[in-house]
Amino acid sequence: MDIWLISGMALLTFATRYLPFSLARQLAFASRWQSLSRYISIAMLSAIVVKTTLVREQQLQPVLSNPLLPAALITLFCAVAGLPRGLSFMLGLLVFLLCR
Amino acid sequence: MYIHPDSRRGLADTAPLLLTIAPLAASFGVIGIAQGESPWLLLLCSTIVFAGSAQLLALGLLAASAPLWFILLTTLVINSRHLLYAFSLTPQIQPLSGRQRALLAFVLNDETYALVSQQPPGPGFNRYFLTSGLTVWACWSLATGLGIMLAHELTGQLSAELLSQLDIIMVLTFVSLIAPALQRCSHWLCATTAALSISLCWHWPLGSGLIFSALLAISVALLAERYRPATMAYNEADS
C-alpha cells in the first residue's frame, strides 16, 4: 500500500459520493425525483438486508435454521404492524438469540 | 456539554451500528499489519478513503500482487452504490452550500445512508446526517488504529464467525428502518424484486449483483407506478 494508491482510492470514493451532490440543484427540480429517491433507498437497503441475511459462509441459506432469517422476519412483521423501532429491533434480537 | 437535539438523535440512532463497524475496522488494521503494511498508511487509508469493503478488498488484491489500476477500478465498481445513495439524497441536500455538500459526501456510508434516507427533509436533516456520518467515520478510524496497535493480540480473535454474528445488528436496524417506508404496493414490489433478484445474483463479482438488483427493483417499481390501475392510484392518493 502506498500513498498513490490511497490517494487514488480516496479520490474515486469521494467522486462517487460527491458527483450527484454537486448536481443537486438541477436534479431536485425534476418532478419524479422524489418518488425515485424513495425507491432507491428501498431497493438498496432491501438488497443489502437480504444478501446479509441469506448468504452465510458463502452459501445461500434461505432456511429457518439460519437464525438471522426468523429474526429479520419478526422485526419486519413488528415494524409493519406499527410497533416502535426499538421494540421491533429488540424482539428480532430475542428471536435471534433463541434460535441460536 | 450541550448537544443539539438533532445531533443527539443522530448519535443515538448510529450508536448500535458501531458494534458492527468497529470489528470490521479493527480487522482491516489487523490484516494490514499481518501483511506487512505500514501502520501509518493503514491509518491514513481508513481516515481519508473511509470505504470499508473497498479497503478490505484492496488489501486482498495487494496480497495477490494485483496492479494499481486494477485495485482502483475495483474501488470504483464497489463504491458505485454510493452514486445511487447520493442521487437519492439530492432533494434533501439541495439547499446546502457546496462546502456543506462536500462534507456530507465525504461521510456518506452504508449505515448513515440507511438512517438518513428515512429522515424527513428539513432544518435538522443536515445536522443529523453530519453527526451520524462523523460518528461512523470516527469509529472506523479509531477502531482501525486499535486494530493496528493490538494486531498481534487480536490475530485469530476477530474470526469470520464473530463478524458474521454481529451482522444481526445491521440486519435488524435496516429492516426496522425500511418497514415503515413500505406504504404503497409499488414500495412492496420494489423491496420484493430486490430481495428475489439478490437471492439469484448474490455471487456476482465485486458486489455487482447488489447494484443490478437495486436497478431492476427500481425499474419494476417505476413501471408498476406508471401502469397501475386508476382505482389503485386514486386510493393511494386518498390515503
Side-chain angles (χ1 to χ4, degrees):
Chain A
M1 188 167 276
D2 60 31
I3 195 76
W4 295 111
L5 175 65
I6 294 171
S7 306
M9 285 176 71
L11 200 67
L12 287 172
T13 302
F14 182 72
T16 56
R17 293 167 178 169
Y18 184 66
L19 185 70
F21 279 8
S22 68
L23 302 170
R25 295 245 155 83
Q26 292 90 319
L27 289 170
F29 292 108
S31 58
R32 292 176 65 83
W33 197 249
Q34 288 281 355
S35 72
L36 180 62
S37 66
R38 171 62 71 188
Y39 289 135
I40 291 176
S41 70
I42 291 172
M44 282 304 294
L45 297 180
S46 302
I48 289 174
V49 163
V50 171
K51 188 180 178 187
T52 312
T53 304
L54 298 186
V55 180
R56 318 301 302 164
E57 294 158 3
Q58 293 299 308
Q59 282 191 329
L60 194 68
Q61 296 185 15
V63 288
L64 286 176
S65 57
N66 167 8
L68 263 77
L69 185 57
L73 289 174
I74 287 291
T75 302
L76 178 67
F77 179 77
C78 293
V80 168
L83 263 63
R85 212 177 84 201
L87 186 58
S88 306
F89 178 93
M90 291 311 290
L91 286 171
L93 195 60
L94 186 68
V95 169
F96 174 77
L97 293 173
L98 288 173
C99 290
R100 271 183 74 203
Chain B
M1 188 176 77
Y2 175 75
I3 303 175
H4 194 279
D6 292 318
S7 299
R8 202 180 307 145
R9 212 160 41 83
L11 203 58
D13 288 349
T14 311
L17 293 167
L18 301 183
L19 287 174
T20 60
I21 294 162
L24 207 63
S27 307
F28 176 73
V30 171
I31 297 167
I33 292 294
Q35 279 184 206
E37 300 292 348
S38 152
W40 294 111
L41 288 179
L42 288 170
L43 196 58
L44 183 72
C45 187
S46 271
T47 313
I48 70 165
V49 177
F50 184 42
S53 322
Q55 286 178 229
L56 283 161
L57 202 68
L59 279 183
L61 291 172
L62 280 171
S65 308
L68 183 82
W69 68 266
F70 186 75
I71 300 174
L72 292 177
L73 184 67
T74 305
T75 303
L76 189 63
V77 174
I78 283 192
N79 289 333
S80 56
R81 70 185 186 285
H82 293 147
L83 273 173
L84 287 178
Y85 292 169
F87 267 121
S88 80
L89 294 174
T90 49
Q92 288 95 317
I93 60 107
Q94 188 255 333
L96 304 179
S97 70
R99 195 175 299 174
Q100 285 173 315
R101 274 184 267 166
L103 185 59
L104 292 181
F106 177 73
V107 296
L108 181 62
N109 60 80
D110 294 331
E111 288 76 13
T112 296
Y113 175 73
L115 294 171
V116 300
S117 63
Q118 309 307 324
Q119 293 297 311
F125 179 85
N126 178 16
R127 202 172 272 121
Y128 182 93
F129 189 161
L130 188 61
T131 307
S132 174
L134 282 178
T135 305
V136 175
W137 174 78
C139 174
W140 181 260
S141 305
L142 288 173
T144 301
L146 208 62
I148 291 167
M149 284 196 294
L150 304 174
H152 298 295
E153 286 79 5
L154 285 176
T155 305
Q157 300 289 321
L158 289 166
S159 61
E161 194 191 341
L162 170 72
L163 293 175
S164 73
Q165 295 293 318
L166 288 170
D167 279 348
I168 186 68
I169 294 164
M170 189 267 276
V171 166
L172 297 185
T173 306
F174 281 20
V175 169
S176 62
L177 285 168
I178 305 166
L182 302 174
Q183 293 168 348
R184 292 186 192 176
C185 288
S186 55
H187 293 158
W188 281 97
L189 187 64
C190 183
T192 311
T193 308
L196 289 174
S197 173
I198 195 67
S199 303
L200 295 173
C201 50
W202 60 271
H203 56 282
W204 287 12
L206 304 177
S208 51
L210 205 65
I211 301 292
F212 171 79
S213 300
L215 292 176
L216 180 70
I218 293 162
S219 309
V220 168
L222 286 175
L223 279 174
E225 194 177 67
R226 186 168 180 177
Y227 294 110
R228 69 186 156 170
T231 49
M232 193 185 286
Y234 175 79
N235 289 339
E236 283 178 358
D238 203 32
S239 63

